Amino acid sequence: MELDDISDCGSLEDGELDEELLSATMEALQTGKLTPLLKTELKCRIQKKCFDEGKDLTLDDEPKMVQNKPPLLPFEIERLERRKEQNRRAAKKFRQKRRQASGELKKIVVELEEKNRQLKEEIKRLLTETDMIRAVLSSQLCSPEPETLPPSGSSLHPREFTLH
């Protein structure tokens, strides 16, 4: 920002501008950031532009207070309380449903994990049984005994043999 721009700052008086610049400079030095100086420069440029265009724009440092709403009437308070209570009940009901659904899902997970474990055991058992049958078949085919041979012309099939 040039010195001429600062001196032409719209509605700021010289003393007020110097105080603002000094304050912004001190803040910039303390924080190590240029943001306060840039804000002051931007504010000054906006005011100068408005002043040059003949508009009266003064930027207040303090925001305006929002006017409070008028106090609620008794029936409005009642209605508000009813809605709050209804919302509390709905939230409580939702939380209960969510807990219940979560519990049901956990129960299903436990059941499915148990079923999975049982099925894996069944697979192991069946694989072991299959290996035993293959071993029996292999040993019988290698050393044929007359009573265990199938009738001539039929093929050997694992399902035809049962283990006792």
Side-chain angles (χ1 to χ4, degrees):
M1 182 186 303
E2 297 166 9
L3 202 52
D4 292 337
D5 289 341
I6 293 174
S7 62
D8 289 341
C9 214
S11 65
L12 291 178
E13 300 295 325
D14 288 335
E16 189 179 336
L17 178 62
D18 290 341
E19 186 179 310
E20 245 185 270
L21 281 175
L22 181 61
S23 172
T25 304
M26 293 302 294
E27 188 177 345
L29 288 173
Q30 288 173 352
T31 61
K33 297 180 181 177
L34 292 176
T35 307
L37 284 173
L38 294 174
K39 281 183 179 180
T40 305
E41 177 185 4
L42 184 59
K43 180 180 174 182
C44 186
R45 285 181 187 251
I46 290 171
Q47 287 179 341
K48 182 182 182 305
K49 184 174 180 179
C50 288
F51 183 75
D52 289 346
E53 292 174 1
K55 296 178 184 174
D56 185 24
L57 176 69
T58 56
L59 300 175
D60 296 330
D61 288 334
E62 297 179 25
K64 293 180 181 175
M65 296 292 292
V66 177
Q67 291 182 355
N68 291 336
K69 295 179 182 177
L72 296 175
L73 297 173
F75 76 93
E76 292 174 320
I77 293 172
E78 263 183 54
R79 184 174 50 192
L80 185 63
E81 290 301 320
R82 275 195 312 250
R83 291 179 74 192
K84 284 181 179 181
E85 184 57 36
Q86 182 182 8
N87 188 37
R88 284 186 206 109
R89 285 192 307 267
K92 184 177 181 180
K93 184 178 177 182
F94 172 77
R95 286 189 297 270
Q96 287 173 340
K97 276 186 172 181
R98 187 174 57 193
R99 274 189 230 113
Q100 182 181 3
S102 176
E104 289 172 3
L105 287 174
K106 286 178 183 178
K107 186 187 269 186
I108 290 171
V109 166
V110 168
E111 290 170 1
L112 288 174
E113 285 175 344
E114 176 61 24
K115 176 106 175 159
N116 191 22
R117 187 191 58 76
Q118 291 172 354
L119 290 172
K120 285 180 178 181
E121 286 178 9
E122 178 74 8
I123 289 170
K124 280 183 183 179
R125 187 186 61 75
L126 290 172
L127 287 173
T128 304
E129 187 177 328
T130 304
D131 290 343
M132 287 176 27
I133 291 173
R134 285 186 181 163
V136 168
L137 280 175
S138 170
S139 68
Q140 287 180 357
L141 290 176
C142 292
S143 61
E145 296 178 16
E147 67 240 16
T148 60
L149 284 176
S152 62
S154 69
S155 62
L156 285 177
H157 197 274
R159 292 186 184 150
E160 294 175 7
F161 296 98
T162 57
L163 295 177
H164 301 287

